[in-house]
Amino acid sequence: MRTSWTRLGNVLTSILAGFASFFFTLVAFLMLRDIGEQIMASVTIGLFALTVVWLAYEKPNSGQARAISALVDRLLAVRAGDLTSPAPAAIRREMPAPAAAVDGLFEQVRSNIENVSAMALYDPVTSLPNRVHFRREAERMLEERSNHRQLALLFIDLDGFKDVNDNLGHAAGDQMLVMVATPLREVTKAEARSDGRRQPLLARLAGDEFTMLFPNIQDSREAEKIGRRALA
């Protein structure tokens, strides 16, 4: 709506400029007798008309120029890692469609980055942390561990998993991995809920190998109890 009114104002201004130019030129030729005076008056009136038309053109385009400059600055901010700031107000005001396109583009880029990060840190079959994620979190747990706290690390290897893949196909093997991961999740959640301790870490290392890290264990008997529940 704002753009339509701006265009209408430009048209009316141009029409008035043309009419004023015609009127003053007519008056000059009727009232001025000397050819030199007529030429001078025509040049002056022509410059007046050009100035009015230029003002009518420059006013809306100066806003668009500022919007384009703001758009360039916003795009250059990506080099500094800014993928969250919305399109500047000048772009939204003067060019709403490009502003919406810029916001949509950055939203898609952020979504793609999040997806790539998830793919790099989580196992696509079981949605458990993968080896890289497990190592990172385990190192952090070890750094935060106090001297009197004990940790338990359990490794789980599935017997016969290769035979399932070879005889029934990889889809059946993936289904088996999901079936194994589900009760292991429940074990880790139960341990975290039992006394409000930090959530244990469960991960799929590779193939048929899973690992569980419990950051706060009282003694070896408790670790054995957890291991029996995990294999039940």
Side-chain angles (χ1 to χ4, degrees), residues 49-219:
L50 288 174
T51 301
V52 173
V53 172
W54 177 80
L55 289 175
Y57 173 81
E58 181 65 20
K59 183 177 179 180
N61 283 274
S62 62
Q64 293 182 358
R66 288 192 295 270
I68 293 174
S69 177
L71 175 60
V72 172
D73 292 339
R74 176 64 192 90
L75 295 176
L76 291 178
V78 176
R79 293 187 303 180
D82 184 4
L83 294 173
T84 57
S85 299
I91 305 176
R92 296 180 181 277
R93 183 175 59 253
E94 298 292 339
M95 299 182 294
V102 168
D103 289 340
L105 173 63
F106 287 139
E107 182 178 357
Q108 184 63 45
V109 170
R110 290 194 299 270
S111 177
N112 291 341
I113 292 176
E114 291 174 358
N115 292 337
V116 171
S117 298
M119 293 174 61
L121 296 177
Y122 289 89
D123 171 47
V125 177
T126 63
S127 298
L128 293 175
N130 59 16
R131 181 186 295 271
V132 175
H133 192 178
F134 175 80
R135 179 174 180 177
R136 182 180 302 176
E137 291 299 315
E139 290 177 350
R140 187 171 65 178
M141 287 183 178
L142 291 173
E143 291 176 356
E144 296 175 355
R145 182 179 68 93
S146 58
N147 293 331
H148 67 278
R149 288 172 55 189
Q150 300 184 64
L151 290 85
L153 181 64
L154 306 181
F155 285 96
I156 301 172
D157 183 82
L158 304 182
D159 294 334
F161 179 72
K162 184 177 184 301
D163 294 334
V164 174
N165 273 337
D166 294 341
N167 298 325
L168 301 179
H170 289 282
D174 291 346
Q175 186 177 1
M176 181 178 178
L177 292 173
V178 173
M179 293 174 61
V180 171
T182 300
L184 295 180
R185 279 196 183 93
E186 294 302 321
V187 172
T188 57
K189 291 179 181 179
E191 286 300 312
R193 288 194 302 263
S194 62
D195 58 354
R197 295 177 298 190
R198 180 173 179 175
Q199 177 74 33
L201 181 59
L202 168 64
R204 179 191 174 199
L205 296 184
D208 58 354
E209 298 177 355
F210 294 83
T211 187
M212 306 171 73
L213 177 61
F214 297 88
N216 191 3
I217 295 296
Q218 295 180 0
D219 49 38

Side-chain angles (χ1 to χ4, degrees), residues 8 34 104 118 125 172 225:
L8 180 60
D34 184 71
V125 177
K225 186 185 302 182

Side-chain angles (χ1 to χ4, degrees), residues 3-78:
T3 303
S4 300
W5 281 110
T6 301
R7 291 177 178 175
L8 180 60
N10 294 341
V11 172
L12 291 177
T13 303
S14 299
I15 293 175
L16 289 175
F19 176 79
S21 180
F22 169 77
F23 176 77
F24 287 128
T25 302
L26 179 62
V27 171
F29 273 96
L30 291 177
M31 297 184 63
L32 300 177
R33 301 299 180 183
D34 184 71
I35 186 65
E37 292 179 350
Q38 291 178 350
I39 293 174
M40 183 60 65
S42 299
V43 171
T44 302
I45 294 168
L47 291 176
F48 167 77
L50 288 174
T51 301
V52 173
V53 172
W54 177 80
L55 289 175
Y57 173 81
E58 181 65 20
K59 183 177 179 180
N61 283 274
S62 62
Q64 293 182 358
R66 288 192 295 270
I68 293 174
S69 177
L71 175 60
V72 172
D73 292 339
R74 176 64 192 90
L75 295 176
L76 291 178
V78 176

